[in-house]
Amino acid sequence: FTTPEVYGSTKKWIKENNLFFPSTPYANSRSTMDNHLLMLYRNYKFPVIFTRASNVFGPGQKLYRIIPYTILCALNRKKLYLVGGGKSERSFIDIEDVSNALYKICLKGKLGATYHISTNRLIKIVDLVKLISNKLNINYKDFVIFKKENAGKDLAYKLNSNKIRNELRWKDNIDLDTG
């Protein structure tokens, strides 16, 4: 399990062979580990498969993540600080869809390969907060405060997931609204 952060901010939908351009120390450490494991596979046939999932959500998710955190802030009338005005875009995928993808990868994935696990829908974080607020019948303006962007913040991770869809016949079934 690795992260799309190894690519840095992506302007277009990228495939699994995209070059790494990490923009944070965390992303750099992950890209280093990915390269290390790939070298072990190429040189010694170390059995590894890489998965990069977009933003996963669902039951049991850590409460500091944007979806549960937005819900908690809205319901408890706490302030939610949207860094960069919430302009960054993400794809959100339900944990059930990720679990199904991982199952297929474990059964039929190719060693040394990388698979993107993502939906084809992007949403700006501010629009996600508005969506959640609407579902709760709470005006987002009552609890959201906009802040300037943090250094190194990636604006988008656009993961093309055609490879897993075509090779392993996987598809996402739970859209963001339903999830």
Side-chain angles (χ1 to χ4, degrees):
F1 304 101
T2 182
T3 175
E5 290 186 49
V6 297
Y7 301 123
S9 192
T10 60
K11 293 183 180 174
K12 60 180 179 147
W13 292 89
I14 59 168
K15 295 183 179 181
E16 289 82 355
N17 62 352
N18 200 74
L19 296 176
F20 292 166
F21 292 103
S23 56
T24 65
Y26 168 77
N28 189 53
S29 69
R30 294 299 298 264
S31 67
T32 300
M33 182 53 74
D34 288 4
N35 282 324
H36 178 72
L37 289 170
L38 185 58
M39 183 264 318
L40 289 174
Y41 169 75
R42 288 179 178 160
N43 292 334
Y44 307 107
K45 298 299 177 209
F46 181 80
V48 64
I49 299 174
F50 300 93
T51 62
R52 295 193 180 96
S54 57
N55 291 62
V56 181
F57 72 95
Q61 184 174 25
K62 300 287 185 192
L63 297 180
Y64 68 87
R65 297 292 187 182
I66 189 64
I67 292 175
Y69 192 66
T70 299
I71 294 168
L72 287 172
C73 287
L75 292 177
N76 292 303
R77 305 291 190 238
K78 301 280 185 186
K79 295 300 178 191
L80 172 70
Y81 297 94
L82 279 186
V83 178
K87 293 177 186 169
S88 61
E89 292 181 299
R90 298 291 185 266
S91 169
F92 287 85
I93 187 163
D94 191 276
I95 187 62
E96 289 296 322
D97 287 330
V98 173
S99 296
N100 290 332
L102 294 174
Y103 182 73
K104 287 188 175 230
I105 290 167
C106 286
L107 291 179
K108 296 184 179 183
K110 295 177 185 165
L111 292 180
T114 299
Y115 296 94
H116 287 167
I117 306 169
S118 182
T119 69
N120 294 321
R121 178 185 178 198
L122 290 174
I123 186 169
K124 289 183 180 182
I125 299 300
V126 67
D127 293 331
L128 173 68
V129 170
K130 289 177 184 178
L131 174 72
I132 294 167
S133 299
N134 287 339
K135 289 187 176 290
L136 297 172
N137 291 320
I138 297 172
N139 187 338
Y140 81 99
K141 292 178 182 178
D142 292 342
F143 68 99
V144 171
I145 296 176
F146 296 100
K147 293 183 75 176
K148 70 177 195 162
E149 194 64 79
N150 290 338
K153 177 74 173 170
D154 295 324
L155 291 179
Y157 303 123
K158 299 177 181 179
L159 300 180
N160 177 318
S161 58
N162 289 340
K163 180 177 178 179
I164 190 173
R165 292 172 190 279
N166 296 331
E167 285 185 18
L168 304 182
R169 302 285 182 237
W170 170 84
K171 66 177 184 168
D172 53 302
N173 293 308
I174 304 169
D175 66 19
L176 179 61
D177 293 332
T178 304

